[in-house]
Amino acid sequence: PDTYRQCDLMTGDRPAAASLFWTVGANQVGKAALGGWRDLVRPLLQEQSDRLGLWPFDGDMEALVKDYPVVIAETYPGEVYGWFDCQPKAKTRRDARLAVVPRLQTVLDDYELTLTDGAAAILADGFGDDRRGEDRFDSFVGALGLYAIVTGKRAAPVPDDPVFRQVEGWILGQAIPNDAG
């Protein structure tokens, strides 16, 4: 627990996210985070800082999407599963992903979203039967979560403690636990 940020810890029914500081073996996200910051975020901040908002460090999401054409935020698909009640029993298996497709379709209908024919086919197929199906599933659910945030259907709160806006950050759309301020 000492290597976890507060936003990485278990919330409600969602298990803890992998530690941002874990860089080896299974469930490591640290290398990807380092690569993202080094190869994408840092160069963008250096070259186009006037066009780029970094949530929550630069402000609240509502203001950032009005002030910047690009907003970068940390997301966690595992957080979004609970919003839409679409957590598959084993997301690495196509049959488990297929079991939550009706729920995802209900979310699309509730949001009055229409998929392209290609996206509808991928959804109906359970995101494929290859090793990348899990990644496609996470991306789809994550995109639905982002849509919910930017359209105001879901809030993007940040705890009051300045450490979350200056040091740790927060996971977009994650509820604030009582002990986070």
Side-chain angles (χ1 to χ4, degrees):
D2 292 341
T3 60
Y4 283 87
R5 300 170 302 156
Q6 191 159 347
C7 64
D8 295 331
L9 300 175
M10 183 174 81
T11 61
D13 294 333
R14 179 190 51 95
S19 170
L20 187 64
F21 305 105
W22 188 256
T23 59
V24 296
N27 290 330
Q28 64 84 17
V29 296
K31 284 185 184 177
L34 288 170
W37 278 97
R38 180 192 62 233
D39 300 336
L40 179 68
V41 177
R42 191 168 167 215
L44 281 172
L45 286 171
Q46 290 172 341
E47 297 168 14
Q48 301 201 21
S49 63
D50 60 327
R51 298 178 44 80
L52 180 72
L54 189 59
W55 181 89
F57 303 102
D58 292 335
D60 291 325
M61 183 57 73
E62 185 177 332
L64 291 175
V65 297
K66 290 178 184 172
D67 294 340
Y68 296 97
V70 176
V71 177
I72 295 177
E74 179 178 357
T75 64
Y76 178 48
E79 179 72 25
V80 180
Y81 299 154
W83 306 353
F84 302 139
D85 191 26
C86 68
Q87 172 69 56
K89 296 217 183 280
K91 68 178 181 164
T92 57
R93 292 193 353 249
R94 180 175 172 226
D95 62 324
R97 295 188 305 266
L98 278 167
V100 300
V101 165
R103 181 63 194 128
L104 291 172
Q105 189 59 58
T106 298
V107 172
L108 292 168
D109 293 344
D110 289 348
Y111 286 178
E112 299 179 356
L113 294 172
T114 303
L115 299 177
T116 64
D117 291 343
I122 290 169
L123 175 66
D125 187 47
F127 303 92
D129 201 19
D130 61 344
R131 292 174 44 160
R132 296 190 55 217
E134 175 183 3
D135 295 333
R136 287 188 287 272
F137 175 79
D138 279 346
S139 296
F140 184 87
V141 172
L144 277 179
L146 291 173
Y147 179 82
I149 297 284
V150 300
T151 59
K153 297 174 187 325
R154 176 132 186 126
V158 180
D160 290 333
D161 188 324
V163 73
F164 298 104
R165 290 187 187 267
Q166 298 170 3
V167 179
E168 283 198 13
W170 197 249
I171 294 173
L172 187 65
Q174 179 174 317
I176 299 172
N178 293 336
D179 59 347

